[in-house]
Amino acid sequence: MRVPIEWLREYVDVTASPEALAHRLTMAGLEVEAVEHEEGEPVLNVKVTPNRGDCLSMVGVAREVAAIYNLPLRHPMPAARTAEPGEAAQVAKVEILDEDLCPRYAARVVRNVRIAPSPDWMQRRLLAAGMRPINNVVDVTNYVMLEMGQPLHAFDLDLLPNGHIVVRRAKPGEKITTLDGIERDLQPDMLMICDATHPVAVAGVMGGSETEVTPGTRNVLLESAHFNPTSIRRTSQRLQLSTEASYRFERVVDPSGVVAALDRACELLSQIGAGEPLSGVVDVYPRPASERIVTLRPERCNLLLGLNLDVPTMVDCLRRLQLKAELHDGVIHVTVPTFRPDLNIEEDLAEEVGRVYGYENIPERLPFGHTHRGGDSPNTRLIRPLQEAFVRAGLIEVHTHTLRAPGPLDDPHRTPVRVRNAASEELSTLRNSLIPSLVDVVVHNLARRQTEIFLFEVGAVFAQLPNGEYEETLKAGFALTGSVFPPGWDARYPAADFFSAKGVVQTLLEAVGVAEAEYQLLTDPRFHPGRSARVLAGGREAGIFGELHPDVLEQLDITRRTVLAGEFDVHTLWSLATRRVRYVPLPKYPAVLRDLSIITPEDVPYQTVERTVKQAGGTLLESVKLFDVYRGERIPEGTRSLALSLTFRSPERTLTDEEVDAVVAHIVRALEEIGARLRA
Amino acid sequence: MEERIRTLLEEATQAILSASNTAELETVEIRYLGRKGQVTELLRALPTLSPEERPRFGQLLNSVKAQLQTQIDQRRAELQRKEREQRLRAERVDITLPPRPLRVGLKHPLTQTMERVRAALIGLGFEFVDSPELDDYRYNFAALNYPDDHPAMDEQMSFYISDTRLLRTQTTSVQGRIMEKRKPPFRIAVIGRCFRNETVDATHHHTFHQVDAFMVDRGISMADLKGVLAAFARQMFGEDVQVRFRPDFFPFVEPGVDYAIYWQGGWLELGGAGLIHPNILRAHGIDPEEWTGFAFGLGIERIPMIQYQIDDLRLFLENDLRFLQKYGA
């Protein structure tokens, strides 16, 4: 809200500089976002928290200023206060059919209206406060709203048959054309101000154009009412129509100020010669709001604030806020006026004391007493080693969007969770896999001429289960494209391929301690059918990875490039861990190395070869390492040659050549059984 | 004979000295000391001498041989040194050429920040827990003392999945989950992703990260909150950082606080805090007369934005490698 300081000074004699005032207000909870200048006049731009509807007016802000600086507050009390129905009751009649949504409705009547521009001083203040001057009648209603916080509305009385106002909910099918010229369909739970037959205003939100005050208006009915905040909020949201009035009504307007605002408006209208108010007010107030008593125990106040204030200080703080505070039996009884609906419990009062006393005066203290042991969360303990493994493998971490449009790279086995109120397709589902967003990042970077893209992410993905429930799962994913090593000025390295991705997978598996993993060809439309794998351990699937299908890449406009991607389930990965690190003494005896070159049919997987060698090699075989794969003219078509380096060692003695020869011979025989033979 | 030997010695010495590299020296060595070398030939000819001459010339030849061998070894060492020096000179590279790059992995700046936040709060005794991103409406709002249709929810426009499920708008949603299960005293923290149905610009995003910490114990006051927040801020931003408290409103705290740090000439708001609302304690069977507590939260993105003066929130989820690579761990 914009608060011109010159206007504010009408209610409180504050002499501080605008900057100092802005600081003190901010420190008391009424945040001044900026001090602006309107034609040289300083204007505070105040951000009012949703619980402080009472500060959405000049008087409201002045009340805070008076409390902060301990100054008297001057209310804009109109000279003539109205309580009796008087003449007004003869011209206007108000009927509230829905007391829950409208606890109070009051009206006054102004005769012989002469519509004209309002005086300069009023126009200037309205402009400084951010409102556009319209004409004297409308300006006065706005002026009083800004001054006292009570929205008012002016109807052309001659367009209201018999001056009859009925406050009720809309009937099915009813419509209204609001002042902005838009015809609006009304819902049955929206509160309307109606004449005898149909709506003439959306209560608390906007008037209708039918009864609008125009240059031809001669008589005016002024409305001042108290509406249910929730009802106004819903109506305003449903109609997508937010106004200065609805903004205030949503944040609670003081029900006790309803008539005072009418009186003030009438006073101003006669003062500027815009019309002649009739005596009396039509005030329908079936269930008047009452003042509450809230108590504050001084010791509780000090406990909450961490202060050591005496009772007179507390009482003084509260009184400065225009609250009645009295000490009875050691407890402070506070009478809360209707303009402060936010004060309901002891803690609310402690906050008021603290605010006025100053939060900056609260000391800093570290809590003592119980000893607490802090620690990382269970999931963090699983995620962090994976992040570190990926970093060791040379990948860069990304954080991608959870919300996204469905796409060809989504996990086909997981039903996506849909967002019910998504504004756009891009935000319509929750990711069911990390791969699509990782590939998005690849695309984004390729478009920015980045060629070396090695990425990972660990995060939550979602799925809708067949029983309608939702599942949130932690996944670890990666995507790669580029050369095996970053290209420099003197060397070209081959492009990352399936086996580069497998290297990343290996690093990941080692990080969690999955000792033995099995790789099976993957059938998944997102991946190259011959260059992708399911990774199993202990018979369970831990994840998948491989080259993305060229069709998918084409859809993403990635051509002439191999992109690898993979995704692992974090909890499954950890549940498959078998290896525990244990100290094994370093070998005492020398190793014996033997190279073995064999030819196998193409369809014998390497995994089978290695397993056969290990089984036949027994305990003396320490390790098997593949160091060459050859296909070509020197061996028969349909076969490949594998060169293996075998390391033999005994923990107890130096092995003899004869012993090793015997084991190698055994290995060769075993290999022959799977169709392999020694290469000559 | 003696004359011949002396000439040979002179000749050989000359040849050794004039050998300009180890290969030439090798040839010289072979010429004199090799199997068919001149000294060897003379030694071989000893038996043809008279028995009286034999020992004398034998001695002489052997000492010449030894002398030559020493000279050769010395010369070789000298030449080898020179040759290595030469080679090293030839091997000189342009050390100003760019390095051969290594593939270096990195954690995302948000991960780096979250690790620092965690370390700071763990040091203050907070135990981190996990809490779902796809949460129940009641944990996100109802359990946090939000009345239905409260205007505070304007700032919290959420992504709804169903009537009861939504993407959490704040990590504060963990409070109800914890209080259902545990009895005070406790110090709990949660860190993670949050969502708000907002238009994206440089300072707003529908996806962001938050940390929330809260503790409930006997006699916890605003002074404790202030102390813990100040200690936390000092760990994150340095010992000299000033912390400011001012009143603010959040439905789940009373009194409520906004806290800011003084950073490069101005106050930067970090987040919201306050004493846990007694309604929340009471709703979970915790007697607010016996127990009080505080809670505070802040946006993770805010921290690197302050530290590195990043002015656009969108960069964090855009994942431009040029951006990410600037913030090496």
Side-chain angles (χ1 to χ4, degrees), chain A residues 23 26-31 49-51 230 233-234 237 250-251 297 300 302-306 345-348 350-351 355 359-370 372-380 384 387-388 390-403 417-423 427 430-431 441 444-445 448 450 452-457 460 462 469-472 482-491 493, chain B residues 97-108 110-111 114-115 118 122 124-134 148-155 157-163 165 167 185-187 191 193 195 197 205-207 209 215-228 230-231 234 243-249 254-257 267 269 275 277-279 288-292 294 316-322 324-325:
Chain A
H23 173 73
T26 299
M27 291 307 290
L30 209 57
E31 186 188 356
T49 53
N51 60 325
T230 305
R233 180 177 156 79
R234 286 197 180 141
Q237 275 185 345
E250 283 172 23
R251 283 158 181 76
R297 291 166 291 171
R300 178 76 176 174
N302 278 328
L303 181 147
L304 293 172
L305 296 175
I345 57 173
E346 195 169 33
E347 283 75 8
D348 295 330
E351 179 176 60
R355 272 188 337 111
Y359 278 14
E360 64 273 26
N361 299 317
I362 294 176
E364 280 177 20
R365 184 171 82 190
L366 278 179
F368 58 91
H370 301 274
H372 289 265
R373 188 187 56 198
D376 262 331
S377 82
N379 279 347
T380 301
R384 201 196 277 224
Q387 288 171 319
E388 276 154 11
F390 279 126
V391 168
R392 277 198 297 280
L395 274 55
I396 291 179
E397 188 184 26
V398 296
H399 286 298
T400 66
H401 293 290
T402 301
L403 292 157
V417 177
R418 297 200 64 85
V419 175
R420 196 175 64 182
N421 61 329
L427 306 174
L430 308 192
R431 63 182 176 192
V441 179
H444 174 95
N445 282 288
R448 279 149 191 83
Q450 302 290 302
E452 302 302 302
I453 308 172
F454 287 66
L455 313 169
F456 77 93
E457 177 170 19
F462 303 82
E469 264 306 298
Y470 304 104
E471 182 190 69
E472 183 170 338
S483 71
V484 175
F485 289 105
W489 43 269
D490 70 337
Y493 299 105
Chain B
L97 281 170
R100 187 166 284 135
L102 304 174
R103 176 90 53 224
V104 180
L106 279 177
K107 288 184 182 175
H108 192 281
L110 289 180
T111 302
M114 288 193 264
E115 286 181 355
R118 276 201 295 263
I122 288 170
L124 288 163
F126 287 88
E127 174 195 344
F128 276 85
V129 297
D130 299 305
S131 191
E133 292 175 13
L134 179 51
D148 280 347
D149 287 296
H150 195 282
M153 281 150 78
D154 261 355
E155 295 160 30
M157 290 292 287
S158 325
F159 291 102
Y160 283 91
I161 304 302
S162 69
D163 287 342
R165 296 279 210 130
L167 289 172
F186 46 66
R187 297 184 186 188
I191 199 163
R193 196 168 266 204
F195 306 85
N197 204 343
H205 209 294
H206 54 67
T207 304
H209 299 76
M215 69 175 289
V216 176
D217 209 330
R218 290 188 173 85
I220 292 301
S221 74
M222 295 286 276
D224 298 299
L225 169 60
K226 211 169 169 177
V228 167
R234 282 194 284 267
V243 181
R244 185 189 80 179
F245 266 50
R246 64 172 190 80
D248 202 349
F249 169 75
E254 191 64 44
V257 169
W267 290 103
E269 286 176 9
L275 296 186
H277 200 288
N279 287 356
E289 285 293 314
E290 182 180 0
W291 305 98
T292 49
F294 66 67
F316 292 106
L317 291 184
E318 195 175 80
N319 295 303
D320 193 303
L321 287 170
R322 293 163 300 179
L324 298 179
Q325 281 164 332

Side-chain angles (χ1 to χ4, degrees), chain B residues 131-150:
Chain B
S131 191
E133 292 175 13
L134 179 51
D135 211 340
D136 287 358
Y137 178 88
R138 91 192 136 101
Y139 290 122
N140 198 79
F141 291 126
L144 292 175
N145 203 38
Y146 279 87
D148 280 347
D149 287 296
H150 195 282

Side-chain angles (χ1 to χ4, degrees), chain A residues 291-437:
Chain A
E291 291 179 332
R292 292 181 308 282
I293 305 266
V294 180
T295 55
L296 176 67
R297 291 166 291 171
E299 64 278 16
R300 178 76 176 174
C301 182
N302 278 328
L303 181 147
L304 293 172
L305 296 175
L307 285 170
N308 199 12
L309 303 178
D310 53 26
V311 174
T313 308
M314 293 181 193
V315 168
D316 177 55
C317 289
L318 295 165
R319 286 187 180 153
R320 277 157 68 171
L321 287 162
Q322 315 289 315
L323 310 175
K324 269 180 263 165
E326 322 239 330
L327 188 73
H328 298 299
D329 302 329
V331 176
I332 302 170
H333 288 65
V334 179
T335 309
V336 179
T338 50
F339 62 79
R340 289 300 304 270
D342 60 312
L343 302 181
N344 296 295
I345 57 173
E346 195 169 33
E347 283 75 8
D348 295 330
L349 297 178
E351 179 176 60
E352 296 306 292
V353 171
R355 272 188 337 111
V356 175
Y357 182 74
Y359 278 14
E360 64 273 26
N361 299 317
I362 294 176
E364 280 177 20
R365 184 171 82 190
L366 278 179
F368 58 91
H370 301 274
T371 306
H372 289 265
R373 188 187 56 198
D376 262 331
S377 82
N379 279 347
T380 301
R381 287 197 286 263
L382 304 184
I383 290 170
R384 201 196 277 224
L386 302 183
Q387 288 171 319
E388 276 154 11
F390 279 126
V391 168
R392 277 198 297 280
L395 274 55
I396 291 179
E397 188 184 26
V398 296
H399 286 298
T400 66
H401 293 290
T402 301
L403 292 157
R404 47 179 299 115
L409 279 165
D410 290 349
D411 188 334
H413 305 296
R414 299 164 62 86
T415 310
V417 177
R418 297 200 64 85
V419 175
R420 196 175 64 182
N421 61 329
S424 68
E425 179 73 358
E426 278 69 51
L427 306 174
S428 63
T429 56
L430 308 192
R431 63 182 176 192
N432 70 354
S433 161
L434 296 175
I435 293 175
S437 7

Side-chain angles (χ1 to χ4, degrees), chain A residues 588-653:
Chain A
K588 285 197 184 78
Y589 299 96
V592 179
L593 304 179
R594 290 294 164 84
D595 287 354
L596 207 57
S597 195
I598 59 169
I599 295 174
T600 74
E602 282 283 6
D603 58 5
V604 176
Y606 171 74
Q607 206 164 266
T608 310
V609 172
E610 192 182 289
R611 201 184 301 130
T612 307
V613 170
K614 279 182 175 165
Q615 269 165 16
T619 53
L620 294 185
L621 178 66
E622 189 178 79
S623 69
V624 183
K625 213 167 187 176
L626 175 71
F627 67 89
D628 190 36
V629 179
Y630 171 79
R631 288 181 186 81
E633 292 165 5
R634 283 175 287 153
I635 58 169
E637 226 181 271
T639 67
R640 60 178 175 169
S641 157
L642 303 172
L644 303 171
S645 168
L646 311 181
T647 305
F648 297 90
R649 194 198 304 267
S650 158
E652 287 140 14
R653 64 206 146 81

Side-chain angles (χ1 to χ4, degrees), chain A residues 477-504:
Chain A
F478 65 90
L480 334 166
T481 184
S483 71
V484 175
F485 289 105
W489 43 269
D490 70 337
R492 294 204 155 270
Y493 299 105
D497 64 2
F498 175 83
F499 299 101
S500 316
K502 195 169 179 179
V504 174

Side-chain angles (χ1 to χ4, degrees), chain B residues 155-157 159 169-170 195-198 206 208 210:
Chain B
E155 295 160 30
Q156 305 254 0
M157 290 292 287
F159 291 102
T169 63
Q170 47 195 353
F195 306 85
R196 287 186 197 172
N197 204 343
E198 286 194 306
H206 54 67
F208 56 97
Q210 268 191 350

